Amino acid sequence: MRLSVSRINEFYMDPVYYYIKRYGGWKDRAAYAAWRGIAVEECVVPLLRQRKAIDWSKAAKKVDKAYQKLCEEGNPEPTEEEREDKAKEEARLPGYLKEAYSALAPFGRPSQVQRKLEFQWLGHEWLGYIDFWYQGKRIIVDLKTRGSDTKHLSQSWVRQGALYQSWVRTTFPEARTVFAVATPKKHRHIELDQEQTEDGLEQIVR
């Protein structure tokens, strides 16, 4: 079986739900927050790579288009409640995009985006993707979009960062992991420390 951090985190959140979803064919409700995050990441990448001044009005239209496409593909017939959730995320997209850019810009242009990781560990094949890899700086940056600000890493983020950082450190021992957290109004950086890395790996093994 191929494993991933997302599967491990799903299991930690609710083991019963995990088995129903994975083996019982259960489908999630519309994931508007997740689609918002995907759209923001997709649209912030070209902004990080361009040299000319950013036209934020044009950028807002692009992120809205990307979000609408994801919503249409993921849930073409939303309920009234789901339409309200969708509209709420839609209204905050420009803010998310600006704050995501502000959070990522200090690192410079990424060497790789969505860097694929495939490796063997604990007798299983593992698959993961690093949002942003900065080869020269040896930094992994994971972008998180949230409705509210936080100063702390969630346990799911700790598990994710610990696994990716430990694997990258087999090649680059000095590699660091930073979470770039963007809300519609602010952003911050939270770095994964060694104690959290060890704890995250222990949780996965457990």
Side-chain angles (χ1 to χ4, degrees):
M1 176 189 298
R2 175 173 282 188
L3 296 178
S4 65
V5 174
S6 61
R7 287 195 173 192
I8 295 295
N9 284 336
E10 283 180 355
F11 179 80
Y12 261 92
M13 289 175 61
D14 190 333
V16 174
Y17 172 74
Y18 170 84
Y19 281 107
I20 292 175
K21 178 181 178 181
R22 292 295 175 181
Y23 304 108
W26 178 270
K27 291 186 178 180
D28 284 328
R29 286 186 59 196
Y32 293 112
W35 296 333
R36 163 251 289 164
I38 294 171
V40 168
E41 183 171 331
E42 176 185 324
C43 293
V44 80
V45 171
L47 300 181
L48 294 169
R49 288 176 171 165
Q50 74 179 46
R51 296 187 182 278
K52 60 183 180 180
I54 296 173
D55 182 337
W56 286 109
S57 176
K58 185 176 180 180
K61 291 178 181 178
K62 286 186 176 181
V63 74
D64 182 75
K65 183 178 180 179
Y67 175 70
Q68 298 298 340
K69 180 180 179 182
L70 289 165
C71 293
E72 181 61 30
E73 292 174 349
N75 189 30
E77 298 180 359
T79 64
E80 184 63 33
E81 182 182 355
E82 288 171 339
R83 280 195 288 269
E84 292 178 4
D85 292 341
K86 176 178 177 289
K88 182 173 69 174
E89 296 294 348
E90 182 179 330
R92 300 190 293 184
L93 281 171
Y96 277 117
L97 184 61
K98 284 185 177 182
E99 294 302 328
Y101 175 82
S102 296
L104 294 166
F107 297 101
R109 292 188 177 190
S111 306
Q112 289 179 282
V113 175
Q114 286 295 300
R115 178 180 176 176
K116 188 176 183 180
L117 298 180
E118 293 181 286
F119 52 94
Q120 291 279 340
W121 188 48
L122 301 176
H124 294 281
E125 292 183 6
W126 291 76
L127 173 66
Y129 293 89
I130 291 175
D131 285 352
F132 301 91
W133 169 241
Y134 297 85
Q135 179 85 13
K137 296 181 174 70
R138 304 289 197 266
I139 298 178
I140 298 165
V141 178
D142 194 276
L143 176 64
K144 300 294 185 186
T145 58
R146 283 176 49 93
S148 59
D149 188 29
T150 181
K151 296 180 180 179
H152 307 287
L153 298 179
S154 69
Q155 287 304 300
S156 62
W157 296 1
V158 168
R159 289 188 289 269
Q160 176 190 2
L163 184 62
Y164 292 175
Q165 177 169 279
S166 296
W167 178 247
V168 171
R169 279 182 172 176
T170 61
T171 305
F172 303 105
E174 70 278 28
R176 300 158 47 214
T177 297
V178 176
F179 288 86
V181 184
T183 75
K185 295 183 178 181
K186 61 174 62 176
H187 65 273
R188 71 171 65 247
H189 300 137
I190 310 175
E191 185 166 348
L192 184 75
D193 63 32
Q194 185 58 35
E195 183 178 347
Q196 290 170 322
T197 300
E198 293 171 1
D199 180 56
L201 292 176
E202 184 179 334
Q203 289 182 46
I204 294 172
V205 173
R206 190 189 310 150

PDB file of all heavy atoms in Angstrom, residues 75-92:
ATOM      1  N   ASN A  75     -17.886  19.946  -7.395  1.00  0.00           N
ATOM      2  CA  ASN A  75     -19.266  19.927  -6.899  1.00  0.00           C
ATOM      3  C   ASN A  75     -20.156  20.760  -7.830  1.00  0.00           C
ATOM      4  O   ASN A  75     -20.525  21.892  -7.510  1.00  0.00           O
ATOM      5  CB  ASN A  75     -19.314  20.483  -5.469  1.00  0.00           C
ATOM      6  CG  ASN A  75     -20.667  20.298  -4.829  1.00  0.00           C
ATOM      7  OD1 ASN A  75     -21.390  19.354  -5.135  1.00  0.00           O
ATOM      8  ND2 ASN A  75     -21.028  21.207  -3.931  1.00  0.00           N
ATOM      9  N   PRO A  76     -20.524  20.209  -8.987  1.00  0.00           N
ATOM     10  CA  PRO A  76     -21.274  20.979  -9.979  1.00  0.00           C
ATOM     11  C   PRO A  76     -22.697  21.344  -9.559  1.00  0.00           C
ATOM     12  O   PRO A  76     -23.294  22.251 -10.145  1.00  0.00           O
ATOM     13  CB  PRO A  76     -21.282  20.050 -11.206  1.00  0.00           C
ATOM     14  CG  PRO A  76     -21.073  18.687 -10.655  1.00  0.00           C
ATOM     15  CD  PRO A  76     -20.184  18.861  -9.461  1.00  0.00           C
ATOM     16  N   GLU A  77     -23.253  20.647  -8.569  1.00  0.00           N
ATOM     17  CA  GLU A  77     -24.620  20.927  -8.134  1.00  0.00           C
ATOM     18  C   GLU A  77     -24.659  21.154  -6.617  1.00  0.00           C
ATOM     19  O   GLU A  77     -25.123  20.315  -5.849  1.00  0.00           O
ATOM     20  CB  GLU A  77     -25.550  19.774  -8.521  1.00  0.00           C
ATOM     21  CG  GLU A  77     -25.641  19.554 -10.033  1.00  0.00           C
ATOM     22  CD  GLU A  77     -26.569  18.409 -10.387  1.00  0.00           C
ATOM     23  OE1 GLU A  77     -27.122  17.776  -9.457  1.00  0.00           O
ATOM     24  OE2 GLU A  77     -26.745  18.150 -11.589  1.00  0.00           O
ATOM     25  N   PRO A  78     -24.179  22.297  -6.172  1.00  0.00           N
ATOM     26  CA  PRO A  78     -24.114  22.572  -4.719  1.00  0.00           C
ATOM     27  C   PRO A  78     -25.490  22.816  -4.110  1.00  0.00           C
ATOM     28  O   PRO A  78     -26.407  23.289  -4.784  1.00  0.00           O
ATOM     29  CB  PRO A  78     -23.253  23.831  -4.647  1.00  0.00           C
ATOM     30  CG  PRO A  78     -23.503  24.526  -5.958  1.00  0.00           C
ATOM     31  CD  PRO A  78     -23.647  23.421  -6.962  1.00  0.00           C
ATOM     32  N   THR A  79     -25.601  22.501  -2.847  1.00  0.00           N
ATOM     33  CA  THR A  79     -26.808  22.812  -2.095  1.00  0.00           C
ATOM     34  C   THR A  79     -26.785  24.305  -1.744  1.00  0.00           C
ATOM     35  O   THR A  79     -25.780  24.994  -1.970  1.00  0.00           O
ATOM     36  CB  THR A  79     -26.879  21.994  -0.803  1.00  0.00           C
ATOM     37  OG1 THR A  79     -25.767  22.381   0.035  1.00  0.00           O
ATOM     38  CG2 THR A  79     -26.780  20.500  -1.091  1.00  0.00           C
ATOM     39  N   GLU A  80     -27.871  24.812  -1.179  1.00  0.00           N
ATOM     40  CA  GLU A  80     -27.921  26.206  -0.782  1.00  0.00           C
ATOM     41  C   GLU A  80     -26.848  26.521   0.254  1.00  0.00           C
ATOM     42  O   GLU A  80     -26.167  27.553   0.188  1.00  0.00           O
ATOM     43  CB  GLU A  80     -29.299  26.535  -0.212  1.00  0.00           C
ATOM     44  CG  GLU A  80     -29.485  27.996   0.150  1.00  0.00           C
ATOM     45  CD  GLU A  80     -29.375  28.917  -1.053  1.00  0.00           C
ATOM     46  OE1 GLU A  80     -29.772  28.513  -2.164  1.00  0.00           O
ATOM     47  OE2 GLU A  80     -28.875  30.040  -0.875  1.00  0.00           O
ATOM     48  N   GLU A  81     -26.680  25.613   1.224  1.00  0.00           N
ATOM     49  CA  GLU A  81     -25.651  25.811   2.248  1.00  0.00           C
ATOM     50  C   GLU A  81     -24.261  25.806   1.626  1.00  0.00           C
ATOM     51  O   GLU A  81     -23.409  26.617   2.003  1.00  0.00           O
ATOM     52  CB  GLU A  81     -25.750  24.700   3.302  1.00  0.00           C
ATOM     53  CG  GLU A  81     -24.744  24.846   4.435  1.00  0.00           C
ATOM     54  CD  GLU A  81     -24.827  23.717   5.444  1.00  0.00           C
ATOM     55  OE1 GLU A  81     -25.725  22.869   5.323  1.00  0.00           O
ATOM     56  OE2 GLU A  81     -23.984  23.691   6.359  1.00  0.00           O
ATOM     57  N   GLU A  82     -24.037  24.920   0.678  1.00  0.00           N
ATOM     58  CA  GLU A  82     -22.729  24.848   0.017  1.00  0.00           C
ATOM     59  C   GLU A  82     -22.469  26.093  -0.819  1.00  0.00           C
ATOM     60  O   GLU A  82     -21.326  26.566  -0.900  1.00  0.00           O
ATOM     61  CB  GLU A  82     -22.646  23.593  -0.834  1.00  0.00           C
ATOM     62  CG  GLU A  82     -22.536  22.318  -0.016  1.00  0.00           C
ATOM     63  CD  GLU A  82     -22.672  21.063  -0.848  1.00  0.00           C
ATOM     64  OE1 GLU A  82     -23.235  21.133  -1.970  1.00  0.00           O
ATOM     65  OE2 GLU A  82     -22.228  20.001  -0.391  1.00  0.00           O
ATOM     66  N   ARG A  83     -23.501  26.647  -1.436  1.00  0.00           N
ATOM     67  CA  ARG A  83     -23.322  27.885  -2.218  1.00  0.00           C
ATOM     68  C   ARG A  83     -22.897  29.036  -1.310  1.00  0.00           C
ATOM     69  O   ARG A  83     -22.093  29.886  -1.704  1.00  0.00           O
ATOM     70  CB  ARG A  83     -24.618  28.231  -2.964  1.00  0.00           C
ATOM     71  CG  ARG A  83     -24.816  27.433  -4.247  1.00  0.00           C
ATOM     72  CD  ARG A  83     -25.897  28.057  -5.112  1.00  0.00           C
ATOM     73  NE  ARG A  83     -27.215  27.859  -4.544  1.00  0.00           N
ATOM     74  CZ  ARG A  83     -28.006  26.829  -4.816  1.00  0.00           C
ATOM     75  NH1 ARG A  83     -27.580  25.893  -5.658  1.00  0.00           N
ATOM     76  NH2 ARG A  83     -29.198  26.719  -4.281  1.00  0.00           N
ATOM     77  N   GLU A  84     -23.425  29.052  -0.107  1.00  0.00           N
ATOM     78  CA  GLU A  84     -23.020  30.079   0.858  1.00  0.00           C
ATOM     79  C   GLU A  84     -21.559  29.909   1.258  1.00  0.00           C
ATOM     80  O   GLU A  84     -20.816  30.898   1.355  1.00  0.00           O
ATOM     81  CB  GLU A  84     -23.915  30.013   2.094  1.00  0.00           C
ATOM     82  CG  GLU A  84     -25.352  30.434   1.838  1.00  0.00           C
ATOM     83  CD  GLU A  84     -26.220  30.306   3.074  1.00  0.00           C
ATOM     84  OE1 GLU A  84     -25.676  29.958   4.150  1.00  0.00           O
ATOM     85  OE2 GLU A  84     -27.435  30.560   2.971  1.00  0.00           O
ATOM     86  N   ASP A  85     -21.140  28.660   1.495  1.00  0.00           N
ATOM     87  CA  ASP A  85     -19.734  28.385   1.823  1.00  0.00           C
ATOM     88  C   ASP A  85     -18.825  28.805   0.674  1.00  0.00           C
ATOM     89  O   ASP A  85     -17.756  29.404   0.888  1.00  0.00           O
ATOM     90  CB  ASP A  85     -19.538  26.902   2.118  1.00  0.00           C
ATOM     91  CG  ASP A  85     -20.219  26.463   3.405  1.00  0.00           C
ATOM     92  OD1 ASP A  85     -20.524  27.336   4.233  1.00  0.00           O
ATOM     93  OD2 ASP A  85     -20.440  25.238   3.563  1.00  0.00           O
ATOM     94  N   LYS A  86     -19.245  28.484  -0.520  1.00  0.00           N
ATOM     95  CA  LYS A  86     -18.466  28.819  -1.721  1.00  0.00           C
ATOM     96  C   LYS A  86     -18.304  30.327  -1.864  1.00  0.00           C
ATOM     97  O   LYS A  86     -17.203  30.832  -2.125  1.00  0.00           O
ATOM     98  CB  LYS A  86     -19.154  28.245  -2.956  1.00  0.00           C
ATOM     99  CG  LYS A  86     -18.510  28.609  -4.288  1.00  0.00           C
ATOM    100  CD  LYS A  86     -19.259  27.930  -5.430  1.00  0.00           C
ATOM    101  CE  LYS A  86     -18.678  28.329  -6.774  1.00  0.00           C
ATOM    102  NZ  LYS A  86     -18.988  29.735  -7.129  1.00  0.00           N
ATOM    103  N   ALA A  87     -19.404  31.053  -1.682  1.00  0.00           N
ATOM    104  CA  ALA A  87     -19.369  32.506  -1.834  1.00  0.00           C
ATOM    105  C   ALA A  87     -18.476  33.158  -0.779  1.00  0.00           C
ATOM    106  O   ALA A  87     -17.777  34.144  -1.059  1.00  0.00           O
ATOM    107  CB  ALA A  87     -20.782  33.064  -1.742  1.00  0.00           C
ATOM    108  N   LYS A  88     -18.501  32.617   0.435  1.00  0.00           N
ATOM    109  CA  LYS A  88     -17.667  33.162   1.506  1.00  0.00           C
ATOM    110  C   LYS A  88     -16.183  33.044   1.159  1.00  0.00           C
ATOM    111  O   LYS A  88     -15.417  34.008   1.335  1.00  0.00           O
ATOM    112  CB  LYS A  88     -17.960  32.430   2.814  1.00  0.00           C
ATOM    113  CG  LYS A  88     -17.181  32.958   4.005  1.00  0.00           C
ATOM    114  CD  LYS A  88     -17.629  32.303   5.298  1.00  0.00           C
ATOM    115  CE  LYS A  88     -17.234  30.847   5.361  1.00  0.00           C
ATOM    116  NZ  LYS A  88     -17.535  30.244   6.684  1.00  0.00           N
ATOM    117  N   GLU A  89     -15.784  31.887   0.664  1.00  0.00           N
ATOM    118  CA  GLU A  89     -14.383  31.702   0.280  1.00  0.00           C
ATOM    119  C   GLU A  89     -14.037  32.575  -0.925  1.00  0.00           C
ATOM    120  O   GLU A  89     -12.951  33.163  -0.997  1.00  0.00           O
ATOM    121  CB  GLU A  89     -14.123  30.233  -0.047  1.00  0.00           C
ATOM    122  CG  GLU A  89     -14.296  29.280   1.118  1.00  0.00           C
ATOM    123  CD  GLU A  89     -13.282  29.497   2.219  1.00  0.00           C
ATOM    124  OE1 GLU A  89     -12.295  30.238   2.012  1.00  0.00           O
ATOM    125  OE2 GLU A  89     -13.474  28.931   3.307  1.00  0.00           O
ATOM    126  N   GLU A  90     -14.961  32.672  -1.847  1.00  0.00           N
ATOM    127  CA  GLU A  90     -14.740  33.446  -3.072  1.00  0.00           C
ATOM    128  C   GLU A  90     -14.458  34.913  -2.758  1.00  0.00           C
ATOM    129  O   GLU A  90     -13.557  35.528  -3.344  1.00  0.00           O
ATOM    130  CB  GLU A  90     -15.985  33.324  -3.946  1.00  0.00           C
ATOM    131  CG  GLU A  90     -15.912  34.026  -5.280  1.00  0.00           C
ATOM    132  CD  GLU A  90     -17.190  33.833  -6.074  1.00  0.00           C
ATOM    133  OE1 GLU A  90     -17.844  32.779  -5.907  1.00  0.00           O
ATOM    134  OE2 GLU A  90     -17.524  34.738  -6.842  1.00  0.00           O
ATOM    135  N   ALA A  91     -15.200  35.471  -1.823  1.00  0.00           N
ATOM    136  CA  ALA A  91     -15.047  36.883  -1.492  1.00  0.00           C
ATOM    137  C   ALA A  91     -13.680  37.204  -0.896  1.00  0.00           C
ATOM    138  O   ALA A  91     -13.194  38.335  -1.012  1.00  0.00           O
ATOM    139  CB  ALA A  91     -16.152  37.302  -0.520  1.00  0.00           C
ATOM    140  N   ARG A  92     -13.062  36.226  -0.268  1.00  0.00           N
ATOM    141  CA  ARG A  92     -11.788  36.476   0.417  1.00  0.00           C
ATOM    142  C   ARG A  92     -10.566  36.075  -0.408  1.00  0.00           C
ATOM    143  O   ARG A  92      -9.425  36.219   0.049  1.00  0.00           O
ATOM    144  CB  ARG A  92     -11.778  35.728   1.755  1.00  0.00           C
ATOM    145  CG  ARG A  92     -12.898  36.179   2.685  1.00  0.00           C
ATOM    146  CD  ARG A  92     -12.763  35.621   4.078  1.00  0.00           C
ATOM    147  NE  ARG A  92     -12.940  34.177   4.131  1.00  0.00           N
ATOM    148  CZ  ARG A  92     -12.945  33.468   5.268  1.00  0.00           C
ATOM    149  NH1 ARG A  92     -12.779  34.094   6.422  1.00  0.00           N
ATOM    150  NH2 ARG A  92     -13.114  32.166   5.248  1.00  0.00           N
TER     151      ARG A  92
END
